[in-house]
Amino acid sequence: MGQFNSSKKKKKFAYVPPSKQKKGSGGLIWLTIAFAFIAVVIILGINNSSKDSKTLYEFNYSELPRLGDEKAPVKLVEFGDYTCGACRAFSVQVKPDLVKDFIEPGKVALYFANYAFIGPGSKTAAIAAESVYLQNPDAFWPYNDAIYANQGDEQTLWATPERMVQIAKDAKLDIDFDKLASDIDAKVGEDKIDDQKKLAEQTLNIPGTPTLFVNGQQIEFKSYGDIKAAIESKLQ
């Protein structure tokens, strides 16, 4: 699970679904059992962490939106949810540095995969972004930025079809807006988005968003420095 602490505010940098969040138990007996269980989990976790850190996953990069040179030596895949506040923080705080330090110099190509799991608006936003990508791949990343810049409260259903079209219009994307509205209504690309969600949950066991893979290897991070170090280790 990725975490990010900015220099000004220390905060958790990953959304974790409630079903995967740890909950406390009452009573001294249960507390004792819990401590014993946690100790075992920590020991096992160390071993599993060592094993997982070496696991490489082969993505079908040609099917994912790309920012940067496809021949870049490092491929960075972000699994994100457009309604996730931590993903917005990644887009606003981290991506500009990635672009400046690695993507523009041709060292890294950034790819985006959907893990649309938070709520109904998650899939609506993902479908809208997929429609934009299918119409004009060059318009995808400006739309990706625009969605996060206009992100609403996570507890409200802000990513409605009408809102997603308006965001595209406000961003002045070079696409057919009527087709975008029609695609959202027809749920164009839903199968692909569902497949990516299954990949995230069942194969990759992604705990939350954003989650990053560097050349197929999942990384843990608390700061941009951690991401930078992971990238630079692949460039050596």
Side-chain angles (χ1 to χ4, degrees):
M1 177 179 63
Q3 293 184 343
F4 173 78
N5 291 329
S6 68
S7 59
K8 296 182 179 179
K9 296 181 180 179
K10 292 186 177 181
K11 58 183 179 180
K12 199 170 184 181
F13 191 64
Y15 180 96
V16 180
S19 62
K20 294 186 178 182
Q21 294 176 1
K22 293 181 180 179
K23 299 179 180 179
S25 57
L28 182 59
I29 295 178
W30 287 109
L31 187 60
T32 302
I33 294 174
F35 277 126
F37 176 76
I38 290 172
V40 173
V41 169
I42 290 174
I43 294 173
L44 293 176
I46 293 173
N47 294 331
N48 288 335
S49 176
S50 176
K51 184 183 296 184
D52 290 344
S53 65
K54 298 179 181 179
T55 302
L56 299 178
Y57 299 97
E58 185 60 39
F59 296 101
N60 190 348
Y61 295 103
S62 63
E63 292 186 354
L64 301 176
R66 185 189 76 251
L67 181 64
D69 188 347
E70 65 179 335
K71 296 181 180 180
V74 175
K75 299 182 186 298
L76 177 64
V77 176
E78 173 201 352
F79 276 82
D81 185 314
Y82 287 108
T83 67
C84 164
C87 294
R88 180 186 186 281
F90 177 84
S91 176
V92 173
Q93 299 176 24
V94 174
K95 194 166 72 176
D97 287 333
L98 283 172
V99 170
K100 177 174 60 74
D101 294 342
F102 297 106
I103 295 175
E104 287 182 346
K107 298 177 181 179
V108 170
L110 174 63
Y111 298 80
F112 185 85
N114 291 289
Y115 184 15
F117 72 104
I118 294 177
S122 301
K123 181 173 284 189
T124 300
I127 289 173
E130 179 66 15
S131 171
V132 167
Y133 176 65
L134 291 173
Q135 281 199 55
N136 179 5
D138 290 337
F140 172 83
W141 287 103
Y143 190 47
N144 180 283
D145 292 340
I147 295 174
Y148 283 126
N150 290 275
Q151 186 185 78
D153 187 277
E154 198 172 282
Q155 304 303 317
T156 64
L157 182 56
W158 61 269
T160 62
E162 297 77 15
R163 182 61 179 149
M164 300 314 299
V165 173
Q166 189 59 51
I167 290 173
K169 289 180 178 179
D170 292 343
K172 297 180 171 56
L173 301 183
D174 184 17
I175 62 168
D176 184 328
F177 301 115
D178 290 335
K179 179 171 174 50
L180 172 59
S182 176
D183 285 351
I184 296 174
D185 184 61
K187 298 183 178 180
V188 170
E190 182 178 32
D191 289 345
K192 177 181 176 181
I193 292 164
D194 287 343
D195 286 343
Q196 290 178 348
K197 184 172 183 285
K198 289 179 182 178
L199 173 66
E201 291 180 338
Q202 300 178 13
T203 302
L204 304 177
N205 194 30
I206 290 176
T209 51
T211 292
L212 304 180
F213 289 79
V214 176
N215 282 359
Q217 183 176 8
Q218 184 177 340
I219 67 169
E220 294 186 3
F221 59 94
K222 294 183 179 180
S223 68
Y224 173 62
D226 295 332
I227 302 171
K228 184 177 180 180
I231 292 173
E232 290 177 338
S233 70
K234 301 297 182 182
L235 292 171
Q236 295 177 355

